[in-house]
Amino acid sequence: MPEFGGLFGGGPGPWGPPPAGPWPFGRGGPPWAKGPGGRGARARKGNVRAAVLALLTEEPRNGYQIIQEINERSGGGWKPSPGAIYPALQQLADEGLIRGEEAGGRRTFHLTDEGRAYVAEHAEELDEPWAEMAPDFGEGVPDLFKQAAQTGAAVMQIVHSGSPGQVAQAKDVLAEARRRLYLILAEDDPGPTDAPEE
């Protein structure tokens, strides 16, 4: 699982290593990045192959970019490991569907003419293969989780760098936020409203 700081852009961050405990304040991943049994979703080989080809159809990418793009497009539901991506890239290169070029210290992969022909023949199979791995959440929920993660990062900065007075203020802010969240649930949801017609 990613370290705490990795959820907010990579690395432990300026506030030091993550503490033990549940996400978002400790180790472990966000709930939308977990599959059955609490572990990250595992991609099948066919999915990896299709995702690589689909992304390289758009533009050349290196292995790291492919991993990050799959993770983003699946809403965090699928982040294949380098151990899944790089063998797939090698296999596709061996088949002549892609080629790798060294640039800026990274190996960037492109579709070959044969690869473009293959993609055209298998368009349905390669249509957003990451979609089936995406978690089924309601509208706006991933953004809500993102806000919770960012709040967790701010809390950890106060934990590691704040004065006793700042820690006390943060505690009050969180208590008020929790109270207001429960009030939202207690209210009737009016839903979207349309502006009155003139």
Side-chain angles (χ1 to χ4, degrees):
M1 297 297 295
E3 294 288 354
F4 175 81
L7 296 172
F8 316 106
W15 48 87
W23 182 92
F25 305 109
R27 290 182 173 88
W32 66 91
K34 297 179 185 295
R39 294 180 296 179
R42 291 184 177 274
R44 294 182 294 276
K45 286 186 178 181
N47 286 341
V48 172
R49 177 188 177 91
V52 169
L53 289 172
L55 291 174
L56 294 185
T57 300
E58 300 175 356
E59 63 181 359
R61 289 180 165 95
N62 60 48
Y64 175 79
Q65 290 171 327
I66 291 170
I67 291 171
Q68 295 301 109
E69 197 68 26
I70 291 172
N71 181 52
E72 181 176 335
R73 296 196 189 195
S74 68
W78 176 23
K79 186 175 183 180
S81 68
I85 289 294
Y86 288 102
L89 288 167
Q90 184 60 55
Q91 179 63 36
L92 291 168
D94 291 344
E95 295 175 23
L97 300 181
I98 68 174
R99 72 179 188 277
E101 295 180 355
E102 294 291 340
R106 290 183 178 270
R107 190 167 180 81
T108 301
F109 296 89
H110 308 247
L111 286 180
T112 62
D113 290 341
E114 186 177 348
R116 282 187 283 273
Y118 180 92
V119 167
E121 293 171 6
H122 298 80
E124 184 174 344
E125 173 190 342
L126 303 178
D127 184 23
E128 299 190 350
W130 41 79
E132 66 186 61
M133 305 295 285
D136 184 17
F137 285 111
E139 182 180 353
V141 173
D143 288 336
L144 178 61
F145 282 138
K146 183 177 180 181
Q147 289 292 327
Q150 292 171 345
T151 300
V155 168
M156 291 312 301
Q157 291 190 58
I158 290 177
V159 167
H160 286 279
S161 305
S163 67
Q166 289 171 328
V167 169
Q169 289 181 57
K171 181 180 176 182
D172 290 341
V173 167
L174 290 176
E176 174 64 14
R178 184 174 65 251
R179 186 187 70 80
R180 294 184 65 179
L181 287 170
Y182 280 119
L183 283 176
I184 291 172
L185 289 174
E187 296 172 354
D188 290 332
D189 183 4
T193 57
D194 295 325
E197 296 182 0
E198 295 292 340

